[in-house]
Amino acid sequence: MIEKEDPVISEEEAAQYDRQIRLWGLDAQKRLRGSRVLLAGVGGLGAELAKNLILAGIKGLTLLDHEQVSEESCRAQFLVPVSAQGQNRAQASLERAQNLNPMVEVHADPDRVEDKPDDFFLQFDVVCLTGCSRDLMVRVDQLCSQHNIKVFCGDVYGYYGYMFCNLGQEHSYVEEKLKVVKPSPSSNDGPEAKKAKVDPNETTMVKKTASFCNLKEALEVDWTSEKAKANLKRTPVDYFLLHVLLKFRTDKGRDPDPKSCADDSQLLKQIRDDVLEAMGLSGDLLSDEFISYCFSEMSPVCAVVGGVLGQEVVKALSQRDTPHRNFFFFDGRKGNGVVDYFGPN
Amino acid sequence: MAQLVGSLRKELADSLSSCKVLVVGAGGIGCELLKNLVLTGFKNIDVIDLDTIDVSNLNRQFLFQKKHVGKSKAQVAKESALQFCPSANITAYHDSIMNPDYNVEFFRQFMLVMNALDNRAARNHVNRMCLAADIPLVESGTAGYLGQVTVIKKGMTECYECQPKPAQKTFPGCTIRNTPSEPIHCIVWAKYLFNQLFGEEDADQEVSPDTADPEAAWNPEETAARATASEKDGDIRRVSTKEWARSTGYDPIKLFNKLFKDDIMYLLTMDKLWKKRKAPTPLDWQQLENSAHPQEESPTTSGLKDQQVLDVWGYCQLFQHSVESLRSQLQEKGEGSELVWDKDDPPAMDFVTAAANLRMNIFSMNMKSRFDVKSMAGNIIPAIATTNAVIAGLIVLEGLKILSGELDSCRTIFLNKCPNLRKKLLVPCILDKPSLNCYVCASKPEVTVKVNVQKTTVLSLQDKILKERFGMVAPDVQIEDGKGTILISSEEGETETNNNKFISDFGIRNGSRLQADDFLQDYTLLINVLHTEELERDVEFEVVGEAPDKAPPPQSNQEEVNSITNGNKDSAQPSTSSKAAADDDDIMIVDSDEERGAPSSSAAVTTSTKRKHPDSETSETSTKRPRTDQSAAAAATDDDNDDIIALD
Ligand SMILES: [Zn+2]
C-alpha cells in the first residue's frame, strides 16, 4: 500500500516538479513520492514507462528483466548503451535510468519474473508487466489483486500496442471540479462579481470510485451470447489482435521476429483463424493486413503506449482523475487510440 | 512478404537513413522527438533551439540533467540523442529559427520539417518557410494532458494560418488602471508597474489612474476638463513614474503610499466609477505597521512556502524587501540601466506577488499565493513528460506516412484527457483542404484592414499590424499609388524617418492599397485600407471579416473543442524565436472553462469556427462530435501565444 507517512516535498523537488505540480497538485506529487513500482520487462515499451515514472518522481522503481541485450530486443530501447550487447537488459539500463532523476531509487534485478516468489510482488504499490506470457500475467494479476496491488500490462507489436489495468474492485480517487463561487458582499474576487460564477482558480475535489476485473476475466469474455455478438460491431478489433499475439507468444515463446518474417506471417494467419474460431467468431473479423505491421517494437508506438500507460500509473498512484477502464488500444497506422472495457459487467 | 527492418518495410527504412529532417525546438516535445527519430532509424537530423536549460524543464525534457542547467538545449539534446545512436549525424543550432540565415534555401535541404515549438510567432514563421520551400511540415503542441499533431503540405492541406486564431486577450487600459475586477487585472498592473519602475517604460503600460476613463465622466466635457486638470496636477503625474521613483531613491514606503494610498484616493474622487462598483480601500503603511501582529513563525506545514497566502502586512513587507533588492540590482547594473521582468528572478517575482496582492486587497478580492500569481504572471502552461511522449510518437508516425508517399492517410490527431463518447482517447481527423481566402497560403493573399489613417503611425503599421498581426519578420511596404512610394524598407536606415509620421501623411486614405513583402518568408500580402474613425478605445485596427475580440465558443454539450496548444512554453522567451517576450508578456487568455482540470493555470479557450471530420473509418457521418468530459479545454496560455487551433 501507499505509505502512510506524509513525505514533505522539499524546495528542490518543488523546483524540479513545478510544471507537473501545477497540473496535478501537491497531494498527488506527495503520493507519487511515496510509491514503489515494479517494472518487469525492460524492452522498448518498458524503457518508455521507466522514463515516464522516474521523471514523475516516484519513490522507487525496480527494473526486472532476465533477458540479454540483443539488437532486436533493444531496437526501441534507449536506456541500454550501444556497447552493452550481451549484458543483462535490466542492469544495462540502470545507469541511464538513474540519471533521469537522482531523487528516485532505481534498482535492477536480473532474475526471471517467473522465478519470483509471491512475496516479492507484495513490496510494491504497482506492478507493471511487459513482454510477459499470458499465463504469467494472469498469475501475477490474481496474486496482486488479492493484496490490493495495482496491476498494469502492456505490449507493443510493430505499429500496434495495448495497455490493460486492474486497479482492484474498488479504486478510490479524486477528481477536481471547478467551484461555483457564491456571491458574497464582503469579499470575493472583485466588486463586479455579483452573480455566481466559476473562478478558474477555485476548485474542489470530488471523491469517486471505480471497479476493475481480473485480467483472466477480461480475456475470457464469452462472445457466443447474443448480447456480446450485438456488441461486436462496436468492439475494437485490436482486442482480438491482442489475443492472437498473446497466443503466438505462448506457442513460440517469443514475439513475431522480422528475421523469420515469412514463417511468422504464416503462423500468425493460422493463429488468427484458430483464436477466432475458438471464440466462436468469424475469421473475417481480423483481416490479413495486420500481419505485415506487427513485427518488432516500434519506437514511436512505444512512446505513445508508454505515455498513456505511464500516465495511468501516475493517476493510479496519486489516486487522482478517472482511470481508463480497462484496456487502451493504439493503432499507429490510423493514429487511433481507443479505451474500452472488457470483462463481467 | 516484404523484407522488414524492425517494424518497417526495407524501402522505408532505407529512405529514413538517407533523408534529412529538421526538428524546430528541443524542449518538451523536441527531446522526445529526437529520441524517437534516432530509434526509428533517421540518420540526418538538424535541430534548432534558442533556449537554454532550466531546472523546471527537468521533469520532462529527459535529454537534460541538472548538470546541464544553463546550457544550450539544442546542443545538449544532440549530445544525449547521439548516445542512443552514435552513427547518427545530428547538427545542433543554438539559434532562433526566425534568424534570416535560415532562408528558403536552408529549408529546401530537408525532406520533412517537424515543429516542436511553444509559441505562435515561430510557428507562423516556419509555416511560411515550409510553404515557400514546399516542404511538408508536421506541426504539434501540448498543454497539460492535451495535445495535437497535424500535417501541413502546400496546396493539399490547410496551412497553420488558414484558420484565424483567437486573438490574445488584452485588457482595456482603464480596467487595469482604474477598475480591476479580477486578480489577473491586478497581476497585469503589477507587471506594468515593474516595467514603469525598473524596466523599459512603455506608454501602453501606464499604471496611474486614468483620468480620461470615459466611464468616469458624467459628460464628455468633464472628461476633457479632468484630462486637462491632470496635466497640471502637480509633479507626481508630470514626471514619469520612474523619474519620480528615482527621485525618492526608490524608498519603498514612499512608493507604497503613492501607489496604494494616494493613487487610490485619487481614484475615489472619480466618483462615478464607484456608483455601481464597490469602491477601493486605500492602504496606509503606518496604520498597517501599527496594527501588525508580530509575525509568529508558523509551524512547518506540509505545504510549500510558495503556496501560502500571507496577510496584508506580509505583502507590505514583501513589497518593501523586493523593492530594496531590485533597487540594488539596478545600482549594480549602473546608471541608466533597466531590469527585465523574469518570473524566475526571485525579487522580480516577489515584487509582482506583493504589488498584485496589495491591489487585490484594495479592490476587495481574495489574495493569491506566490505560486498562483506566478502561474498567471508567467503564463505558465503545466507540462508533463507523458503528454509530450505521446505527441512526439504521433509526429514520427505522421512523418513516416509522408515519407512513404501516403499523404492521403495523414491525419490531425488529438490527445484528449478522457476518451470521448466514441471511446477515443486519441482522435484522428481528416485533414482539411487549404482555405481559399487564407491570408498566407492563398495564391494572392489579400486582406482588408480598418484603421484610422490619421492616427496610425508608420511604426505601428509595421510593428502592430504587419509583424504582430500578420507574422512578418522584416516587411517592406510599397503604396500602390501609381508611383510605387516606399513606405517601409527592411533595409536599415532607409525609412526610419517615416516611423513617427501618420500613414495619411503619405496619401494613404480610404481605399488605398499597400503591398507588403517579406523577403525571407517569400511572402507578399496585399492590404486594402478602410479608413474609420469608429474603432473602440484601445483598439488600433481591425481585420475585416474577423471579430475584433472573439468570444469563447459556447460550452454546450454538443461541442467538442479540441485544441492545439502552444507547447510547453515555460520560459520567458519564446524559444527558437527571436521575438522579445516583452511584446506579449502581459497578454493573457483568460477564461473560465468549467471543464478545465488544472487548478492554477489560466485557461485558454479556442474560438475557431473550424469543424473537423471524424476519420472516415467510423460509420458516423455527423461532423459534430459529442464533447467529452475535460477533453476540450486547453489550459493554455503563453507568453506570446495561445496557439490553439480549435476544432470541434
Ligand atoms: Zn493557409
Side-chain angles (χ1 to χ4, degrees):
Chain A
M1 270 313 292
I2 288 165
E3 287 168 28
K4 291 287 175 287
E5 66 172 297
D6 189 5
V8 174
I9 299 279
S10 68
E11 295 297 325
E12 185 194 5
E13 289 171 282
Q16 180 167 326
Y17 300 136
D18 183 85
R19 294 305 183 269
Q20 64 202 42
I21 291 174
R22 288 179 195 276
L23 190 63
W24 55 54
L26 198 58
D27 286 345
Q29 190 64 48
K30 282 182 194 163
R31 286 208 167 87
L32 288 174
R33 192 74 190 83
S35 306
R36 294 185 185 276
V37 177
L38 171 67
L39 169 59
V42 195
L45 178 61
E48 285 287 337
L49 188 53
K51 173 201 68 186
N52 294 336
L53 295 176
I54 292 167
L55 290 173
I58 57 175
K59 183 175 186 66
L61 179 69
T62 298
L63 306 172
L64 173 65
D65 197 318
H66 70 280
E67 272 194 55
Q68 288 191 343
V69 174
S70 69
E71 193 197 351
E72 200 47 51
S73 80
C74 286
R75 199 172 275 286
Q77 220 282 24
F78 56 93
L79 294 176
V80 171
V82 280
S83 58
Q85 293 287 323
Q87 291 179 28
N88 171 272
R89 206 156 62 162
Q91 289 169 335
S93 301
L94 183 61
E95 188 185 338
R96 283 190 189 169
Q98 183 65 72
N99 281 342
L100 292 169
N101 186 352
M103 295 191 277
V104 178
E105 300 163 17
V106 187
H107 308 278
D109 184 333
D111 292 352
R112 282 186 93 84
V113 57
E114 285 86 350
D115 299 342
K116 288 291 186 187
D118 287 0
D119 276 2
F120 171 77
F121 297 95
L122 305 186
Q123 51 184 313
F124 302 100
D125 302 300
V126 158
V127 170
C128 301
L129 305 170
T130 78
C132 295
S133 71
R134 175 172 168 160
D135 288 349
L136 179 80
M137 289 194 284
V138 166
R139 183 201 126 200
V140 173
D141 175 61
Q142 246 153 6
L143 168 73
C144 289
S145 59
Q146 282 161 21
H147 292 89
N148 214 1
I149 295 166
K150 322 267 182 207
V151 178
F152 291 82
C153 303
D155 276 301
V156 167
Y157 303 91
Y159 284 76
Y160 305 99
Y162 85 98
M163 171 206 88
F164 162 81
C165 66
N166 175 5
L167 307 186
Q169 295 204 336
E170 193 177 287
H171 171 67
S172 309
Y173 62 96
V174 293
E175 198 158 52
E176 190 168 34
K177 292 279 178 205
L178 286 174
K179 195 195 254 170
V180 176
V181 182
K182 292 253 170 61
S184 100
S186 56
S187 180
N188 55 32
D189 267 355
E192 279 173 349
K194 294 202 182 66
K195 50 182 194 259
K197 63 170 187 179
V198 286
D199 176 341
N201 292 305
E202 296 286 330
T203 58
T204 56
M205 290 298 183
V206 183
K207 285 185 182 165
K208 294 187 171 178
T209 60
S211 173
F212 290 80
C213 69
N214 285 341
L215 178 62
K216 189 168 190 293
E217 298 170 296
L219 291 176
E220 291 178 357
V221 173
D222 176 13
W223 293 97
T224 55
S225 76
E226 282 311 306
K227 197 173 161 232
K229 278 195 171 136
N231 273 334
L232 208 53
K233 226 178 153 180
R234 274 178 282 139
T235 303
V237 293
D238 314 61
Y239 174 79
F240 303 105
L241 178 56
L242 172 62
H243 276 273
V244 173
L245 292 162
L246 287 178
K247 181 75 164 48
F248 185 103
R249 188 179 280 173
T250 303
D251 290 358
K252 299 287 284 185
R254 61 167 175 85
D255 288 334
D257 187 340
K259 291 198 189 74
S260 47
C261 184
D263 291 349
D264 286 0
S265 297
Q266 271 320 107
L267 188 57
L268 281 165
K269 248 181 235 184
Q270 187 57 51
I271 292 175
R272 185 259 327 261
D273 295 342
D274 296 349
V275 161
L276 291 177
E277 196 188 326
M279 288 179 170
L281 298 170
S282 153
D284 302 343
L285 202 59
L286 203 54
S287 77
D288 284 356
E289 215 197 48
F290 78 89
I291 292 169
S292 33
Y293 295 100
C294 69
F295 284 79
S296 190
E297 279 188 302
M298 189 169 166
S299 157
V301 178
C302 292
V304 172
V305 178
V308 172
L309 181 41
Q311 195 54 41
E312 288 309 295
V313 175
V314 166
K315 279 156 71 175
L317 288 172
S318 60
Q319 296 177 275
R320 209 189 136 122
D321 293 330
T322 311
H324 298 333
R325 204 175 73 121
N326 54 355
F327 280 89
F328 167 74
F329 296 105
F330 178 63
D331 178 338
R333 299 188 60 231
K334 292 179 180 149
N336 204 17
V338 185
V339 173
D340 210 348
Y341 178 78
F342 292 88
N345 287 310
Chain B
M1 187 75 220
Q3 202 187 338
L4 294 179
V5 177
S7 308
L8 305 178
R9 283 178 296 104
K10 184 160 187 314
E11 309 84 82
L12 180 57
D14 288 347
S15 74
L16 298 192
S17 59
S18 61
C19 79
K20 191 167 174 182
V21 298
L22 174 64
V23 172
V24 189
I29 298 175
C31 282
E32 292 282 340
L33 183 55
L34 281 171
K35 169 207 65 190
N36 296 344
L37 288 171
V38 297
L39 293 178
T40 307
F42 286 84
K43 290 276 193 247
N44 304 294
I45 304 167
D46 282 17
V47 57
I48 179 165
D49 199 312
L50 178 70
D51 254 357
T52 53
I53 297 157
D54 182 81
V55 68
S56 67
N57 301 145
L58 301 179
N59 78 321
R60 61 194 184 283
Q61 300 179 14
F62 79 105
L63 299 178
F64 312 142
Q65 297 169 31
K66 211 158 210 171
K67 64 181 180 196
H68 298 130
V69 167
K71 293 188 174 166
S72 153
K73 284 190 176 179
Q75 191 58 38
V76 177
K78 168 196 160 166
E79 284 155 20
S80 299
L82 272 179
Q83 294 182 352
F84 308 151
C85 177
S87 64
N89 172 20
I90 305 178
T91 307
Y93 304 87
H94 181 203
D95 204 350
S96 163
I97 192 62
M98 292 164 86
N99 182 322
D101 291 351
Y102 310 108
N103 55 16
V104 174
E105 278 313 303
F106 173 83
F107 277 82
R108 283 211 181 105
Q109 60 181 312
F110 304 104
M111 290 281 283
L112 179 65
V113 175
M114 286 159 280
N115 269 354
L117 281 163
D118 55 11
N119 69 92
R120 191 193 282 177
R123 281 193 177 106
N124 287 343
H125 182 75
V126 175
N127 177 49
R128 292 160 191 219
M129 298 308 292
C130 288
L131 289 169
D134 197 9
I135 303 297
L137 169 65
V138 185
E139 176 57 88
S140 66
T142 62
Y145 300 110
L146 308 176
Q148 183 186 348
V149 171
T150 195
V151 171
I152 295 166
K153 174 75 171 73
K154 184 180 182 177
M156 296 184 71
T157 73
E158 280 193 331
C159 82
Y160 181 68
E161 295 168 271
C162 269
Q163 296 297 328
K165 305 284 186 297
Q168 285 156 335
K169 177 149 187 177
T170 53
F171 300 104
C174 43
T175 302
I176 301 301
R177 296 168 64 183
N178 293 357
T179 53
S181 61
E182 292 171 30
I184 185 64
H185 302 150
C186 300
I187 292 168
V188 169
W189 178 87
K191 284 178 70 181
Y192 285 179
L193 177 64
F194 179 93
N195 284 342
Q196 294 289 333
L197 291 177
F198 307 105
E200 191 184 351
E201 285 177 282
D202 180 337
D204 292 339
Q205 298 190 349
E206 268 301 328
V207 289
S208 56
D210 180 4
T211 53
D213 187 341
E215 209 198 323
W218 293 100
N219 56 55
E221 294 79 46
E222 197 186 338
T223 310
R226 210 186 271 277
T228 320
S230 73
E231 300 289 304
K232 308 175 196 155
D233 188 273
D235 52 350
I236 291 181
R237 249 167 286 275
R238 201 105 53 96
V239 296
S240 78
T241 311
K242 195 182 212 167
E243 290 294 314
W244 175 78
R246 203 176 284 154
S247 73
T248 71
Y250 284 101
D251 180 328
I253 295 163
K254 282 187 181 151
L255 287 180
F256 182 97
N257 281 330
K258 173 192 169 357
L259 295 164
F260 304 111
K261 189 173 84 180
D262 300 347
D263 281 356
I264 303 304
M265 308 263 271
Y266 188 89
L267 280 178
L268 286 171
T269 67
M270 297 162 75
D271 54 342
K272 198 183 172 199
L273 292 177
W274 318 114
K275 295 286 176 199
K276 289 184 190 156
R277 286 189 185 86
K278 191 166 188 294
T281 317
L283 296 175
D284 182 276
W285 181 276
Q286 204 53 54
Q287 246 171 22
L288 287 162
E289 185 167 30
N290 293 343
S291 61
H293 299 289
Q295 204 71 8
E296 53 203 67
E297 272 307 313
S298 53
T300 41
T301 52
S302 65
L304 290 173
K305 206 170 112 238
D306 257 19
Q307 292 196 357
Q308 288 162 9
V309 180
L310 313 180
D311 62 8
V312 180
W313 179 241
Y315 286 117
C316 293
Q317 288 174 302
L318 189 64
F319 180 81
Q320 178 180 12
H321 295 141
S322 59
V323 168
E324 284 163 359
S325 304
L326 294 167
R327 176 176 61 194
S328 355
Q329 277 188 20
L330 262 186
Q331 277 163 358
E332 276 165 37
K333 287 186 82 174
E335 188 71 21
S337 59
E338 285 168 350
L339 303 180
V340 176
W341 189 78
D342 176 359
K343 66 183 185 314
D344 296 316
D345 176 39
M349 189 59 230
D350 285 344
F351 175 83
V352 165
T353 304
N357 270 304
L358 291 167
R359 195 162 167 91
M360 285 182 226
N361 183 271
I362 287 167
F363 285 92
S364 313
M365 299 174 208
N366 291 328
M367 295 195 291
K368 301 223 169 265
S369 69
R370 188 182 189 275
F371 185 87
D372 286 346
V373 173
K374 187 173 176 177
S375 272
M376 296 166 88
N379 303 312
I380 297 174
I381 304 169
I384 51 175
T386 53
T387 303
N388 290 328
V390 172
I391 291 305
L394 295 175
I395 293 173
V396 174
L397 291 165
E398 291 307 306
L400 292 177
K401 293 184 205 167
I402 294 170
L403 295 173
S404 313
E406 297 166 14
L407 209 82
D408 287 350
S409 59
C410 287
R411 295 289 181 271
T412 283
I413 304 171
F414 296 98
L415 169 63
N416 288 336
K417 184 177 182 192
C418 297
N420 66 15
L421 291 185
R422 288 181 25 246
K423 303 176 184 173
K424 292 192 180 187
L425 187 70
L426 290 165
V427 190
C429 300
I430 284 175
L431 296 169
D432 279 326
K433 295 266 171 282
S435 161
L436 291 175
N437 48 15
C438 173
Y439 68 78
V440 175
C441 71
S443 60
K444 287 205 162 89
E446 189 167 336
V447 288
T448 300
V449 177
K450 273 195 211 174
V451 287
N452 185 332
V453 296
Q454 275 128 29
K455 287 189 176 169
T456 303
T457 61
V458 172
L459 188 65
S460 80
L461 170 71
Q462 174 188 291
D463 289 353
K464 297 196 170 148
I465 302 183
L466 298 174
K467 289 189 178 173
E468 213 174 295
R469 178 63 186 77
F470 292 116
M472 291 187 165
V473 174
D476 290 278
V477 178
Q478 183 178 327
I479 308 172
E480 299 212 327
D481 54 2
K483 293 178 284 187
T485 307
I486 306 289
L487 187 67
I488 298 171
S489 166
S490 57
E491 289 293 320
E492 214 169 307
E494 288 192 355
T495 52
E496 271 79 356
T497 50
N498 295 351
N499 279 355
N500 295 318
K501 295 184 183 154
F502 295 109
I503 59 175
S504 56
D505 297 344
F506 298 87
I508 294 172
R509 54 194 164 84
N510 192 44
S512 292
R513 284 156 72 86
L514 309 177
Q515 185 186 310
D517 286 288
D518 189 294
F519 181 73
L520 176 61
Q521 296 174 343
D522 193 12
Y523 171 50
T524 301
L525 179 65
L526 203 64
I527 299 168
N528 297 292
V529 176
L530 271 188
H531 172 69
T532 178
E533 296 184 355
E534 281 159 8
L535 291 169
E536 275 177 56
R537 199 175 134 87
D538 299 327
V539 173
E540 284 185 73
F541 68 96
E542 242 177 72
V543 180
V544 174
E546 183 175 287
D549 198 352
K550 289 183 160 188
Q555 299 291 307
S556 75
N557 287 333
Q558 281 86 47
E559 300 273 320
E560 176 164 351
V561 184
N562 272 299
S563 22
I564 201 173
T565 56
N566 321 329
N568 325 278
K569 169 78 190 146
D570 54 10
S571 66
Q573 304 281 334
S575 66
T576 56
S577 113
S578 59
K579 207 162 167 229
D583 290 4
D584 329 72
D585 234 12
D586 325 301
I587 299 173
M588 298 199 51
I589 299 208
V590 180
D591 178 83
S592 58
D593 184 331
E594 56 179 19
E595 300 290 350
R596 203 164 54 76
S600 49
S601 62
S602 306
V605 168
T606 61
T607 57
S608 162
T609 51
K610 184 167 164 188
R611 185 141 293 184
K612 273 284 172 187
H613 310 291
D615 204 350
S616 47
E617 39 108 13
T618 59
S619 54
E620 283 179 56
T621 51
S622 160
T623 53
K624 269 194 174 178
R625 283 188 287 120
R627 178 177 173 162
T628 50
D629 191 35
Q630 297 190 342
S631 67
T637 62
D638 207 5
D639 274 324
D640 61 341
N641 62 25
D642 44 295
D643 266 16
I644 291 187
I645 296 174
L647 310 165
D648 65 299

